[in-house]
Amino acid sequence: MKLEPDYIADYNQSQLEGHQRKLSYWTQEVATAEPIIQKLIDFQIAIPSWALGTGGTRFGRFPSGGEPRSLEEKIEDVGLLHALNRTSGAISLHIPWDIPTDADAIKQLAAQYGLRFDAMNSNTFQDQPDQALSYKFGSLQHSDPAVRRQAIEHNIEVIKHGVALGSDALTVWLSDGSCFPGQLNFRKAFDRTLSSLEEIYAALPDNWKLFVEYKAFEPNFYSMTVGDWGSSFLYANKLGPKAYTLVDLGHHLPNANIEQIVAILLHQGKLGGFHFNDSKYGDDDLTAGSIKPYQLFLIFTELVDGMDARGMNHAKDLGWMIDASHNVKDPLEDLLQSVEAIQLAYAQALLVDRAALENAREANDPVRAQEILQDAFRTDVRPLVAEAQRRAGGALNPLALYRQLNVRQQLIGERGAKTVATGL
Ligand code: RM4
Ligand code: MN
Ligand code: MN
């Protein structure tokens, strides 16, 4: 399904008066409104190819139809999101779930929707039907060099697919670890993983980055070989300047101070990418901002501050991606909500009075510091986000228009009620 530009223009026209009323406060009263709108226009968040279908748990999955049946249809779905919000201009592929058979054709199709290819993701956490050796006891850490070789070769294959598509990063998330005390020699697992990663690193093109993603638990529940930001940072440092840590919000132990982790990684020049989602308990992969919006804001406050301190480009110098699962929501609606939550947190972080905050800190005034942060967090920045989307050619309210157009019903009509997308 392709959105006719008229739909968006007509919809925006119908909402314009109310929107302009809310926006006028900003344009008249807030000096930073224009630069914030521009930053929002530039900011793009990649959509993972595995998040376009219905997710599930090990107990069940409840698809509601119209899921994309192929990579082409996944690109079409991301194109649809991007047409609505003009903020989802990239897609991230997981191999082998989404192998492009004709890379040129896929690249062209994506370009028609204004999409580029974000980081490529390898998969050595599942066994594939045609695979010679099993990853049951790990991949890059495995005791058998032949298994490690197979996993290394897979990652190199993923890089090649990415090169053909114009991507420039590889994300390695490993499920390697152990389920029981005594099962694994931690030192050997570390050394083997490092030397496997070194071989993958050596295969990276010059302009590529390697993102080492960490996760505290699951599917291994006693130890994870890349279990926390410290381990990831260690691997990234040992690998070299093209290697970075990737933070996935759901991959920490409960109550971890993620904003502090982000601040230190950025300060050390080793934060490379970000996976957005939200959680109450573990790697719940819920809609970004649905559970802890204040935490998301605090993280963005550190991101903006840390990137500015290093003179980084907010839109381009870190890899931004959503990594969520949609168990009871329409996946496309869920993604629209996540993107919006990220935009809102970003806009609020841009509003923080940095100079005043720094003064409060130097004066050891926690009351004032809290006031400054919460002043930004409690500001309704939705008119700024809507205006950025409108100026970029998107809808003032992407989710409302999605519903008004009955997109899911149309997709079910085109693709059927029982289609199943590849992914988790
Ligand atoms: C993992 C991790 C990875 C993602 C897989 C599907 O928990 O978040 O980034 O590729 O799930
Ligand atoms: Mn992730
Ligand atoms: Mn995850």
Side-chain angles (χ1 to χ4, degrees):
M1 179 192 173
K2 221 174 169 173
L3 269 195
E4 300 300 329
D6 282 0
Y7 292 163
I8 293 179
D10 293 350
Y11 172 79
N12 284 351
Q13 196 53 42
S14 72
Q15 306 293 314
L16 204 57
E17 219 186 286
H19 167 66
Q20 275 169 346
R21 210 176 318 119
K22 291 182 211 146
L23 187 69
S24 60
Y25 156 76
W26 286 95
T27 42
Q28 284 161 26
E29 308 278 331
V30 185
T32 52
E34 277 301 324
I36 294 178
I37 291 171
Q38 191 52 49
K39 286 198 167 101
L40 287 167
I41 292 174
D42 296 340
F43 198 73
Q44 300 292 317
I45 301 146
I47 305 293
S49 64
W50 60 100
L52 297 160
T54 312
T57 68
R58 63 190 193 278
F59 300 105
R61 193 168 175 271
F62 306 97
S64 48
E67 292 190 10
R69 294 161 294 183
S70 61
L71 178 54
E72 286 79 358
E73 288 184 353
K74 290 182 176 188
I75 290 172
E76 190 184 315
D77 278 9
V78 180
L80 199 84
L81 295 176
H82 189 48
L84 288 166
N85 64 18
R86 290 275 133 206
T87 309
S88 315
I91 179 166
S92 183
L93 301 190
H94 228 299
I95 306 293
W97 292 336
D98 287 298
I99 295 182
T101 40
D102 181 344
D104 284 339
I106 287 292
K107 213 174 148 178
Q108 253 181 41
L109 181 69
Q112 280 170 25
Y113 291 102
L115 306 178
R116 58 168 194 85
F117 288 88
D118 198 68
M120 300 293 290
N121 301 265
S122 58
N123 179 341
T124 59
F125 48 88
Q126 290 176 321
D127 285 348
Q128 305 303 326
D130 54 351
Q131 191 179 308
L133 302 165
S134 172
Y135 294 133
K136 180 172 177 181
F137 294 106
S139 58
L140 299 186
Q141 73 167 20
H142 205 282
S143 55
D144 180 354
V147 178
R148 302 205 292 272
R149 168 71 28 223
Q150 177 182 285
I152 293 165
E153 293 305 331
H154 165 70
N155 275 278
I156 295 174
E157 270 305 306
V158 175
I159 295 173
K160 287 187 186 146
H161 285 302
V163 168
L165 293 170
S167 166
D168 57 10
L170 171 71
T171 299
V172 178
W173 173 68
L174 298 175
S175 67
D176 292 34
S178 63
C179 260
F180 298 98
Q183 185 187 328
L184 195 66
N185 179 320
F186 299 139
R187 277 176 288 128
K188 280 187 184 169
F190 179 88
D191 288 344
R192 287 170 176 157
T193 302
L194 179 60
S195 72
S196 303
L197 284 171
E198 276 165 356
E199 288 200 44
I200 298 166
Y201 186 88
L204 286 178
D206 285 346
N207 62 330
W208 272 52
K209 291 179 180 172
L210 174 66
F211 297 149
V212 184
E213 183 173 358
Y214 60 89
K215 179 169 175 174
F217 53 87
E218 197 206 12
N220 273 297
F221 286 105
Y222 175 63
S223 73
M224 290 288 276
T225 298
V226 192
D228 54 22
W229 73 274
S231 324
S232 165
F233 182 65
L234 197 57
Y235 286 113
N237 264 335
K238 286 183 183 286
L239 287 169
K242 289 191 271 182
Y244 297 85
T245 293
L246 183 140
V247 174
D248 180 313
L249 294 181
H251 289 190
H252 304 86
L253 293 174
N255 303 324
N257 187 333
I258 304 175
E259 50 272 30
Q260 185 181 14
I261 295 173
V262 164
I264 302 301
L265 284 171
L266 255 178
H267 185 47
Q268 294 302 310
K270 276 297 190 187
L271 181 65
F274 226 88
H275 284 181
F276 292 103
N277 47 54
D278 210 344
S279 61
K280 177 97 179 134
Y281 301 106
D283 193 22
D284 308 356
D285 280 340
L286 300 173
T287 323
S290 61
I291 308 276
K292 293 171 286 196
Y294 190 50
Q295 182 193 49
L296 187 61
F297 159 76
L298 293 175
I299 290 169
F300 259 104
T301 302
E302 294 302 334
L303 285 169
V304 166
D305 201 42
M307 285 189 289
D308 287 351
R310 297 184 67 86
M312 290 166 74
N313 180 314
H314 297 182
K316 295 206 174 85
D317 292 348
L318 291 185
W320 307 109
M321 195 188 89
I322 291 173
D323 191 5
S325 175
H326 327 288
N327 302 349
V328 298
K329 287 177 177 169
D330 172 333
L332 295 179
E333 294 193 348
D334 197 339
L335 288 162
L336 288 174
Q337 286 186 312
S338 277
V339 171
E340 192 201 26
I342 294 164
Q343 289 174 295
L344 294 173
Y346 178 42
Q348 289 171 328
L350 291 169
L351 268 186
V352 171
D353 185 341
R354 307 257 154 205
L357 183 60
E358 220 31 60
N359 285 340
R361 288 166 170 174
E362 291 299 314
N364 295 308
D365 188 343
V367 170
R368 180 91 194 103
Q370 177 184 327
E371 291 298 305
I372 291 164
L373 286 184
Q374 292 189 342
D375 190 33
F377 178 65
R378 289 173 178 151
T379 305
D380 184 0
V381 292
R382 286 176 297 180
L384 291 179
V385 169
E387 177 64 7
Q389 286 170 167
R390 189 193 67 79
R391 286 194 202 173
L396 280 169
N397 185 336
L399 185 58
L401 180 56
Y402 179 92
R403 287 212 163 182
Q404 202 179 86
L405 295 173
N406 274 321
V407 175
R408 182 54 58 185
Q409 273 320 110
Q410 295 201 46
L411 291 174
I412 292 173
E414 284 170 19
R415 300 170 180 170
K418 296 228 176 309
T419 56
V420 176
T422 50
L424 272 185

